[in-house]
Amino acid sequence: MERTLVLLKPDAVQRRLSGSILTRFEQKGLKIVGMKLVQASPELAAKHYDVHKERPFFGSLVSFLSGGPTVALALEGREAVATVRGMIGATDGTKASPGTIRGDHGLSVQNNLIHGSDSVDNAHLELALWFCPNELVSWTPVDQSWIG
Ligand code: IDP
Ligand code: MG
């Protein structure tokens, strides 16, 4: 079982899409093991996007992610990292396939609603950045054996 970090970025919260996006993950069979509303500081946003610090859009990206509330989710399931990335779609909303979250809800590159960790190693680092260990809950859904 893998765990991955998902952020419903401030545009998703502002546009009242948090619930419908979360429903997709629940219906897929992914298990919520952490969930909270966070007002990210610019420091937290900059750490989260540290890999992009040399990019010309970095300042704008940090302002965006710290510009309103974000829903932070820890999701668990078989191949959770790749599964979530597939459900999210391509970075640019105009390139994201219909049926993906970005493909169904936006045209923007920056304001693309959602983040998902891109590797198991990054998922570990990002989960530690957004959640304290005691905020992650290990539990067994009653239908687990039917889900895989
Ligand atoms: P990803 O979220 O699909 O993994 P990354 O390339 O890792 O995409 O970029 C991180 C975030 O930076 C994107 O989700 C998006 O919000 C923003 N971003 C990426 N490329 C651009 C750009 O060219 N202009 C503005 N923002 C961008
Ligand atoms: Mg990325």
Side-chain angles (χ1 to χ4, degrees):
M1 285 295 167
E2 284 177 9
R3 286 182 174 181
T4 189
L5 177 80
V6 169
L7 301 177
L8 309 184
K9 299 184 196 179
D11 55 334
V13 178
Q14 292 286 356
R15 293 174 56 194
R16 298 177 169 83
L17 292 169
S18 306
S20 65
I21 295 172
L22 183 59
T23 295
R24 292 179 183 235
F25 294 127
E26 286 196 295
Q27 289 179 338
K28 182 67 175 168
L30 290 154
K31 176 168 64 174
I32 301 166
V33 294
M35 179 161 65
K36 62 183 177 181
L37 190 71
V38 182
Q39 173 55 61
S41 63
E43 291 73 25
L44 174 58
K47 261 191 210 163
H48 176 79
Y49 279 131
D50 187 63
V51 67
H52 296 301
K53 65 173 178 288
E54 307 300 337
R55 308 285 286 276
F57 57 80
F58 180 71
S60 170
L61 182 58
V62 167
S63 300
F64 163 56
L65 186 58
S66 59
T70 289
V71 176
L73 297 167
L75 299 180
E76 186 181 292
R78 194 165 71 83
E79 305 280 344
V81 170
T83 299
V84 166
R85 291 281 292 188
M87 292 172 71
I88 288 175
T91 306
D92 181 342
T94 64
K95 309 283 186 310
S97 301
T100 64
I101 293 163
R102 289 170 175 164
D104 285 351
H105 291 299
L107 294 167
S108 177
V109 179
Q110 176 185 273
N111 299 3
N112 59 3
L113 299 160
I114 184 163
H115 167 83
S117 305
D118 63 6
S119 69
V120 172
D121 285 349
N122 283 338
H124 281 128
L125 295 172
E126 292 173 2
L127 285 165
L129 190 59
W130 288 85
F131 287 97
C132 301
N134 68 2
E135 291 177 317
L136 299 179
V137 180
S138 295
W139 60 289
T140 305
V142 292
D143 60 358
Q144 185 66 55
S145 62
W146 296 91
I147 299 279

